[in-house]
Amino acid sequence: MKSFSNYLYLFIVVTVLVACNQSKNQKETSVDIDQILSEMSVKEKVGQMTQLNLDVISVGEVFDLEEPHKLDSAKLRKAIVEYGIGSILNVGGHAYTLEHWNEIISTVQNIATTETNHGVPIIYGIDAIHGANYLLGGTLFPQPLAQAATFNPDMARKAAAMTAYETRASGIPWNFSPVLDVARQPLWSRVFETYGEDVYLCKRMGVATIEGYQGDDASDPYRVASCMKHFLGYSWSFTGKDRTTAYIPETQLREYFLPTFEAAVDAGSLSVMINSGDVNGIPVHADKRILTDLLRTELEFDGVAVTDWEDIIKLHQFHKIAPTLKDAVKMAINAGIDMSMVPNDYEFSDLLLELVNEGEVPMSRIDESVRRILVMKQRLGLFEDPFTPDNYEYPLVASDSFINHSYQIAGEAITLLKNVNGTLPISQDKKVFVTGPMANSLTMINGSWGRTWQGTDDQWDDTSKHTILDAIQANFAEVSFEQGCEINKLTQDKKAYNKARNSDVIIACMGEYPSTEKPGDIHSLNLEEAQIEYVKGLAKLGKPIVLVLVENRARVIREIEPLCESIVLAYQPSENGSDALADVISGEINPSGKLPVTYPKYTNSLILYDHKYTDQLNVDFGLGAFEPQFEFGHGLSYTNFEYSNLKVNKTDDNESISISVNVTNKGNRDGKESVLVFVSDLYASITPSVKRLRAFDKQMINAGETLVFEFVIDTDELAFVSSDNQWVTEPGDYTISIGGLTENITL
Ligand code: BGC
């Protein structure tokens, strides 16, 4: 029975649109977990720890399902009734309609709750990493890296609440998001899934996202469980290739990779996914020190730890630390894994059952994991309401308010990297030539985790949405278009050059093909040669060029940067973000995005903003390495902000520092400004970073207006991890720098 009233509708709107508080999600219900546990057989317990791919219970072969997708009733019963599996994930190749999701989840829950001994509901998990991407028509938001460029965690919180709403509307209560890996390796294929290279920014955005997903209480029918991932050290592989070895000393692990997860645990994230790679040669899925000592004992995390895709199998197949699959299962479970994303067969369940019966995995270890899984189901309210769409309405799915929020995020994310001769904004009477492989494609602007995993299959595009070209055509009277070149193939298109010649300004939309994980590995960070050559060809025409970049990660553009009057980084703004991009170009939106990563100039000088002093240019003699194309935090506006009157004071007890700075909008346009507070520890017992981001705030400043930005930073926040792996704020001199102003302080 559907229960729906005006009051409920109001409640939905308010809960989705209002920022929520931190949550511990400790809701307990009438279900007696101890009782269920005491009555479960070992096979049923092992079943709970098993997570299968949807393909296994669908008509067709794994990875080759029949279309349209259908559940296979015999396979379903084998999984749920015979094996008693606890969880299902993923999608059979592409996004589904809301109705189809509802049919899948209600069927699954019906069998689990009525045909099994204890009626334990299934927990279904999905990757809805920038909106409900696997829901056809679900609202797509700009990718997380773009969200970070807004420096506006409130926007991310609201986007996450909307994503939770649409995901729960599908009947799915668990989202494998957010990615809390800090993007310290610019080559990595998953930089776009992160919140950038800075720990503090990643923490603020990650926590806001978790709050948006879970709200105060994840059993709310409009919320989902978050899954912080990928614990730990996934984003710093030595080679830059996905899932390869990271060499991370303990000090760095704690300084750069642990804090985001620690903050997420404090914010009440209900689950964690484990890093597929290895750290210092130990695959994390078998590392008890990380999975148990660090995660459970030190961080006191009490949620569910799920493996990444087939990662127990990989201990045997790829990492080669387990001579057999059975050894791999034993290693992983004894190290602290709760649930295995198997995902394509029952070997894990069979082997784990054997291992328990042989005494190789203690029953206490199994009980601990199963309890966590049952408690998570309880915290999500699944025992009471295994399928929320039976009892609640979801009228806001893909609503104008959701789509508009996605547009707003893109508007605050898009980063104006360069703008000379007042090239942007372009006045509407100008003849505009739009070109490049990113210009007329929805898949390119959506990126991976679109309607498919890699996001490259354009048959699922919603053609009612605007490509960049469509959006520019809506804003300008005279727009011509030729693609001109492909991502990695120069077509020497005469038509393109002719149209360019007859225009007033060229908008060249360049970038990279959507990709993630292993398929996104690259050999060079340079933007593909074909695009570089094409821009060089266009530059010979003497027309102003606006370079628009649509990228998974910052690709090197050194050779063409001097040829372009303006450069706009659009990230992957999504199908709702192209309008925002066109509005930035025409001046409807005053851009306010700032870089959440360092934009490198050379593919072999990948030095991040918070490097050491020895990385600076011209230290002592010779060439230093730090010479980026654009610095972390860089981003222009159509107005000018002037910073003045920086004041820094500390409390007498050295507990905190209060900072204030005036920011005046000197131009004649209103604009938003993100004020970034950097602190440098001048001398320290471990070579200090040249600076670290320690606070930020973003506000609208009207033309001619001065706003005072105020910050209070606990001196604990200035700490670094010392040689004995402890956080320490050492006494001494610190420099606070904001918008080119500096003040010193002694602690
Ligand atoms: C990815 C995870 C994702 C999982 C489930 C893996 O390959 O690394 O981030 O959550 O697949 O789709």
Side-chain angles (χ1 to χ4, degrees):
M1 270 291 291
K2 305 262 182 193
S3 63
F4 183 59
S5 67
N6 288 343
Y7 169 76
L8 179 60
Y9 183 77
L10 189 69
F11 176 68
I12 296 166
V13 175
V14 170
T15 49
V16 169
L17 299 183
V18 169
C20 49
N21 295 323
Q22 283 197 354
S23 148
K24 285 286 177 189
N25 292 289
Q26 295 295 343
K27 181 175 167 144
E28 303 299 337
T29 60
S30 52
V31 178
D32 188 342
I33 301 281
D34 289 330
Q35 181 75 25
I36 299 177
L37 254 180
S38 69
E39 289 169 4
M40 274 184 151
S41 67
V42 182
K43 184 166 181 187
E44 285 165 340
K45 289 178 182 174
V46 161
Q48 284 300 316
M49 295 169 69
T50 307
Q51 183 181 57
L52 285 183
N53 182 12
L54 178 64
D55 287 31
V56 180
I57 53 165
S58 302
V59 175
E61 298 303 313
V62 170
F63 298 136
D64 189 19
L65 298 184
E66 273 183 25
E67 286 284 344
H69 174 261
K70 274 196 272 335
L71 289 174
D72 181 311
S73 141
K75 291 180 184 172
L76 257 176
R77 286 187 168 74
K78 177 172 178 185
I80 300 174
V81 184
E82 186 187 332
Y83 273 91
I85 56 145
S87 181
I88 304 173
L89 88 153
N90 212 23
V91 62
H94 60 83
Y96 300 139
T97 61
L98 191 70
E99 294 67 36
H100 191 55
W101 275 122
N102 284 185
E103 191 188 321
I104 292 172
I105 312 295
S106 61
T107 307
V108 160
Q109 295 299 44
N110 200 22
I111 296 174
T113 54
T114 63
E115 297 182 32
T116 63
N117 282 343
H118 311 285
V120 176
I122 298 281
I123 180 167
Y124 203 107
I126 197 104
D127 295 276
I129 78 142
H130 64 129
N133 37 274
Y134 283 150
L135 169 64
L136 282 175
T139 309
L140 290 181
F141 295 95
Q143 294 282 4
L145 187 67
Q147 297 193 29
T150 66
F151 280 84
N152 190 339
D154 291 342
M155 288 191 124
R157 185 183 294 105
K158 197 162 144 182
M162 291 170 171
T163 303
Y165 180 101
E166 292 190 347
T167 304
R168 206 72 190 241
S170 312
I172 300 173
W174 189 13
N175 189 2
F176 302 133
S177 172
V179 169
L180 297 180
D181 306 306
V182 182
R184 307 293 296 178
Q185 169 49 283
L187 289 162
W188 191 36
S189 61
R190 306 188 74 169
V191 170
F192 71 95
E193 295 183 49
T194 75
Y195 297 110
E197 76 187 38
D198 176 67
V199 178
Y200 178 74
L201 177 59
C202 288
K203 264 187 354 190
R204 292 270 306 266
M205 300 303 290
V207 165
T209 301
I210 289 165
E211 290 168 1
Y213 287 147
Q214 297 191 173
D216 286 334
D217 175 356
S219 72
D220 181 324
Y222 303 100
R223 303 287 180 171
V224 294
S226 64
C227 184
M228 46 182 184
K229 69 186 189 184
H230 308 77
F231 195 73
L232 182 69
Y234 183 31
S235 53
W236 208 33
S237 81
F238 185 71
T239 63
K241 306 285 190 293
D242 186 50
R243 292 171 157 84
T244 58
T245 301
Y247 297 102
I248 313 182
E250 179 92 16
T251 48
Q252 302 289 291
L253 194 75
R254 290 177 175 277
E255 177 93 39
Y256 287 101
F257 301 101
L258 191 57
T260 48
F261 289 94
E262 200 169 0
V265 171
D266 287 347
S269 184
L270 290 178
S271 65
V272 64
M273 191 184 292
I274 307 307
N275 167 12
S276 269
D278 69 273
V279 176
N280 305 328
I282 305 178
V284 182
H285 281 79
D287 192 343
K288 187 157 189 271
R289 203 185 58 95
I290 290 184
L291 297 182
T292 299
D293 302 349
L294 195 51
L295 182 65
R296 303 298 181 179
T297 312
E298 194 177 320
L299 298 193
E300 296 181 11
F301 177 64
D302 68 355
V304 169
V306 62
T307 72
D308 201 340
W309 190 270
E310 288 188 330
D311 274 309
I312 294 183
I313 302 172
K314 284 183 197 137
L315 295 177
H316 166 60
Q317 276 186 352
F318 297 126
H319 294 298
K320 307 278 183 195
I321 61 161
T324 66
L325 183 55
K326 191 166 172 180
D327 291 316
V329 173
K330 179 177 155 184
M331 283 178 182
I333 301 304
N334 283 341
I337 290 294
D338 296 321
M339 182 184 281
S340 170
M341 193 186 282
V342 178
N344 292 322
D345 57 40
Y346 297 94
E347 266 188 305
F348 165 78
S349 316
D350 293 339
L351 292 172
L352 184 53
L353 183 59
E354 276 175 37
L355 286 161
V356 177
N357 290 337
E358 291 160 5
E360 296 288 331
V361 172
M363 202 56 216
S364 55
R365 185 67 273 291
I366 299 292
D367 282 342
E368 186 178 56
S369 288
V370 178
R371 178 185 300 280
R372 288 182 191 134
I373 292 163
L374 297 180
V375 166
M376 182 170 170
K377 293 179 177 185
Q378 183 183 41
R379 287 172 172 173
L380 281 165
L382 295 182
F383 286 98
E384 284 75 22
D385 193 359
F387 178 65
T388 47
D390 261 351
N391 298 312
Y392 298 88
E393 291 277 1
Y394 295 87
L396 297 179
V397 171
S399 58
D400 288 349
S401 62
F402 285 20
I403 292 167
N404 183 50
H405 186 58
S406 179
Y407 163 88
Q408 299 289 344
I409 294 179
E412 287 206 19
I414 290 165
T415 307
L416 182 59
L417 296 175
K418 178 179 179 183
N419 195 24
V420 296
N421 307 328
T423 306
L424 286 178
I426 303 171
S427 63
Q428 286 173 338
D429 56 339
K430 289 274 167 50
K431 282 192 281 180
V432 172
F433 172 58
V434 179
T435 190
M438 300 292 135
N440 198 22
S441 160
L442 291 167
T443 48
M444 299 297 173
I445 56 176
N446 286 338
S448 292
W449 305 109
R451 305 306 180 195
T452 63
W453 171 45
Q454 291 296 309
T456 47
D457 187 348
D458 60 12
Q459 71 168 304
W460 305 104
D461 288 348
D462 174 354
T463 50
S464 71
K465 300 285 182 179
H466 290 164
T467 64
I468 294 174
L469 173 65
D470 297 332
I472 290 176
Q473 278 169 335
N475 283 9
F476 293 89
E478 276 197 76
V479 178
S480 59
F481 168 72
E482 277 307 322
Q483 185 171 309
C485 83
E486 291 173 22
I487 288 179
N488 49 16
K489 193 163 146 222
L490 193 57
T491 46
Q492 297 293 6
D493 187 343
K494 285 216 178 71
K495 271 194 282 177
Y497 287 111
N498 283 339
K499 287 186 180 175
R501 209 170 274 118
N502 290 324
S503 69
D504 298 320
V505 53
I506 297 168
I507 301 178
C509 304
M510 303 297 166
E512 69 182 308
Y513 207 55
S515 60
T516 185
E517 304 186 47
K518 292 306 289 177
D521 284 349
I522 49 175
H523 292 300
S524 162
L525 203 53
N526 289 330
L527 187 68
E528 300 285 349
E529 195 58 29
Q531 298 179 67
I532 299 283
E533 289 308 311
Y534 181 47
V535 173
K536 284 182 182 170
L538 290 171
K540 291 195 182 122
L541 305 178
K543 306 283 180 183
I545 297 179
V546 175
L547 178 66
V548 171
L549 296 167
V550 177
E551 306 179 314
N552 307 357
R553 63 210 125 186
R555 303 296 293 259
V556 172
I557 52 162
R558 183 184 67 257
E559 287 187 53
I560 54 172
E561 181 273 332
L563 309 178
C564 302
E565 274 68 13
S566 301
I567 301 177
V568 181
L569 180 56
Y571 308 90
Q572 289 161 318
S574 91
E575 60 191 20
N576 302 307
S578 43
D579 289 337
L581 176 64
D583 288 349
V584 165
I585 290 172
S586 63
E588 186 77 17
I589 292 178
N590 187 1
S592 61
K594 291 196 172 184
L595 278 175
V597 290
T598 303
Y599 204 110
K601 192 167 183 180
Y602 303 96
T603 190
N604 290 350
S605 282
L606 303 178
I607 314 289
L608 307 186
Y609 90 92
D610 52 353
H611 52 269
K612 309 282 183 158
Y613 285 92
T614 44
D615 287 319
Q616 297 276 24
L617 197 63
N618 291 332
V619 171
D620 289 342
F621 51 82
L623 180 73
F626 187 63
E627 195 187 339
Q629 190 76 63
F630 301 106
E631 292 222 21
F632 173 89
H634 172 71
L636 304 169
S637 163
Y638 294 149
T639 188
N640 299 318
F641 295 108
E642 191 182 276
Y643 287 66
S644 62
N645 207 23
L646 173 61
K647 288 189 201 142
V648 177
N649 287 299
K650 66 176 171 86
T651 50
D652 291 340
D653 57 6
N654 277 336
E655 289 282 303
S656 66
I657 301 174
S658 50
I659 299 167
S660 77
V661 66
N662 294 3
V663 185
T664 304
N665 183 343
K666 289 282 200 183
N668 51 15
R669 291 196 55 146
D670 300 347
K672 283 195 165 182
E673 173 70 344
S674 299
V675 173
L676 312 188
V677 180
F678 293 99
V679 181
S680 311
D681 183 354
L682 299 189
Y683 294 91
S685 57
I686 282 191
T687 53
S689 292
V690 295
K691 61 179 181 178
R692 296 290 297 269
L693 182 70
R694 298 301 191 190
F696 63 80
D697 186 21
K698 186 175 198 177
Q699 298 292 339
M700 171 64 88
I701 311 178
N702 295 329
E705 191 189 11
T706 297
L707 273 196
V708 183
F709 284 75
E710 291 180 327
F711 303 90
V712 176
I713 302 177
D714 286 350
T715 47
D716 284 353
E717 298 289 318
L718 307 182
F720 64 92
V721 178
S722 64
S723 53
D724 58 0
N725 300 322
Q726 301 300 314
W727 286 97
V728 53
T729 305
E730 291 182 341
D733 294 338
Y734 291 78
T735 299
I736 319 295
S737 40
I738 309 181
L741 306 174
T742 58
E743 277 292 324
N744 288 340
I745 197 157
T746 305
L747 292 181

